Amino acid sequence: MKSHPKHEVPDQARRDDWQKSLRQRSGRVTRSRQSILELLRRELRPYTPQDIAAALAPKRCDLATIYRTLTRFEQLGLVQRVDLGDGRSRFEISENQPGGHHHHHLVCRQCSKIVEIDDCIPAELESRVARQHGFLEVTHRLEFFGLCPKCQRGV
Amino acid sequence: MKSHPKHEVPDQARRDDWQKSLRQRSGRVTRSRQSILELLRRELRPYTPQDIAAALAPKRCDLATIYRTLTRFEQLGLVQRVDLGDGRSRFEISENQPGGHHHHHLVCRQCSKIVEIDDCIPAELESRVARQHGFLEVTHRLEFFGLCPKCQRGV
DNA sequence: GTGGATGCAAAGTGTTTGCATGGAC
DNA sequence: GTCCATGCAAACACTTTGCATCCAC
């Protein structure tokens, strides 16, 4: 788990960046969109749309809006979808965004605790897979599952 | 893609194996269960419950039954769930079953073509992740995504 | 003022569950 | 004959969509 300073005041340069690219594609900078992106920038872990709704509770943001916003942000490359295999989507700040970085997850099979993992597969493995089958633009998804220390002790 | 002989007559020893362990847990060997397991043993690729229903069409097996059967088979270790991130479950013969083996998948982002991949992450990576975070019984899920040769040519 | 964003409700999709009937043993 | 498995329909959870209203620009 990496610690990080919780800047309540987001960096102005970054802020302008996404607002600009959103406007360029005839999108509008609304309060909901700002709140959602700020949340994901501040809390560097995967959030389900429901998590986001709960976190923004006082602002009462509709789930449909959250879904639409996340889809838009995904297209803009601001956030990325994380799939931990439990049938619900999660989103976190994109790895190519300021503050984001390429990583994977280790999930407790029992309590669903999520730990960020910075290790990765050898780059050579991915390129070999791509080459051997003639695929292009190959990416990978790697997640680990196990029993966390707490659950081992039957807590 | 590995080729394999399509024995229309399943090996009798194997057959008895699962039937025995099913009966031991007060389960019954029914026609539906036999058909489903035979299908997954014959066709070594991930099947959605809907795929299975279609493949068994003449036998008209209810989806609810297929779901229940697959869940049961999963618990027995006969089949394993494959998650390719499109929000639907797939099942294939378990890697510890005769005929099965540990592998991953390469999926075309456009046409969803699935290629089996026998490469894997270094065992040392998995054990390191487990050790560093104190997790036990750690397994991994690794899937590749890319653009297949056909879709590259805009077919 | 215009066109995109939002809230709300309805519709979709994949999956699970309740219950009466059917079938394995 | 006893229970478990099945089919059918209803219920569920997550997600998407239609539409009138709202608001960023």
Side-chain angles (χ1 to χ4, degrees):
Chain A
M1 188 79 72
K2 305 186 75 171
S3 67
H4 58 278
K6 296 192 178 180
H7 296 297
E8 288 308 315
V9 184
D11 178 73
Q12 193 57 41
R14 289 181 195 173
R15 185 161 207 159
D16 289 350
D17 259 15
W18 73 270
Q19 297 192 355
K20 189 161 50 178
S21 70
L22 185 57
R23 288 205 184 89
Q24 280 174 351
R25 309 197 196 186
S26 60
R28 284 164 191 187
V29 177
T30 66
R31 206 171 57 109
S32 299
R33 291 179 175 180
Q34 295 187 61
S35 311
I36 293 173
L37 194 54
E38 269 171 29
L39 173 68
L40 295 184
R41 284 205 164 142
R42 192 163 7 100
E43 307 292 335
L44 301 175
R45 65 177 182 83
Y47 271 75
T48 63
Q50 291 75 4
D51 288 338
I52 295 177
L56 302 184
K59 292 169 189 157
R60 296 206 84 278
C61 188
D62 194 84
L63 258 183
T65 298
I66 296 178
Y67 276 106
R68 283 186 278 230
T69 298
L70 290 170
T71 302
R72 197 73 133 87
F73 281 177
E74 194 183 15
Q75 291 163 348
L76 291 171
L78 295 173
V79 305
Q80 63 195 12
R81 200 176 290 255
V82 178
D83 187 329
L84 300 182
D86 62 351
R88 62 191 63 189
S89 297
R90 284 163 221 269
F91 296 83
E92 60 185 8
I93 200 70
S94 184
E95 67 185 63
N96 56 37
Q97 278 299 104
H101 66 288
H102 183 73
H103 64 272
H104 298 284
H105 301 94
L106 167 59
V107 186
C108 177
R109 258 190 291 267
Q110 193 159 319
C111 70
S112 298
K113 176 185 170 68
I114 301 173
V115 180
E116 190 173 295
I117 299 292
D118 288 325
D119 293 287
C120 192
I121 64 171
E124 191 262 326
L125 170 53
E126 183 170 280
S127 56
R128 183 172 66 229
V129 165
R131 184 167 10 94
Q132 284 180 345
H133 300 278
F135 276 53
L136 290 181
E137 296 169 44
V138 171
T139 57
H140 63 275
R141 211 179 55 198
L142 171 65
E143 311 299 343
F144 297 92
F145 300 88
L147 208 55
C148 79
K150 267 189 189 172
C151 290
Q152 290 168 33
R153 297 196 300 270
V155 177
Chain B
M1 188 79 73
K2 304 187 76 170
S3 68
H4 58 279
K6 297 192 179 182
H7 294 300
E8 288 309 316
V9 185
D11 177 73
Q12 193 58 41
R14 289 182 194 174
R15 184 163 206 156
D16 289 349
D17 258 15
W18 72 271
Q19 298 192 354
K20 189 162 48 178
S21 69
L22 185 57
R23 289 204 184 88
Q24 280 174 352
R25 310 197 197 186
S26 60
R28 284 164 193 188
V29 178
T30 65
R31 206 172 55 111
S32 299
R33 293 179 172 178
Q34 295 186 62
S35 311
I36 294 174
L37 193 55
E38 266 170 30
L39 174 68
L40 295 183
R41 284 205 163 140
R42 191 161 9 100
E43 306 293 334
L44 301 176
R45 64 178 182 83
Y47 270 76
T48 64
Q50 291 76 5
D51 288 339
I52 294 176
L56 301 185
K59 292 169 189 158
R60 298 205 84 279
C61 187
D62 192 83
L63 258 184
T65 299
I66 296 178
Y67 276 106
R68 283 187 277 230
T69 298
L70 290 170
T71 302
R72 196 74 133 85
F73 281 177
E74 195 183 14
Q75 292 163 346
L76 291 172
L78 294 173
V79 306
Q80 62 194 15
R81 199 177 293 255
V82 178
D83 186 328
L84 300 181
D86 64 351
R88 65 191 62 193
S89 298
R90 283 162 221 270
F91 296 83
E92 60 185 8
I93 200 72
S94 184
E95 68 185 63
N96 56 37
Q97 278 298 106
H101 66 287
H102 183 74
H103 64 273
H104 299 284
H105 301 93
L106 168 59
V107 185
C108 177
R109 259 190 290 267
Q110 194 158 316
C111 71
S112 298
K113 176 185 169 68
I114 301 172
V115 181
E116 190 173 299
I117 300 292
D118 289 324
D119 292 286
C120 192
I121 63 171
E124 191 262 327
L125 171 53
E126 182 170 282
S127 56
R128 183 170 67 230
V129 165
R131 185 168 9 96
Q132 284 180 343
H133 298 91
F135 275 54
L136 289 182
E137 295 169 45
V138 171
T139 57
H140 63 275
R141 213 179 54 200
L142 171 66
E143 311 300 343
F144 297 92
F145 300 89
L147 207 55
C148 79
K150 268 190 188 171
C151 290
Q152 290 167 33
R153 299 194 300 269
V155 178

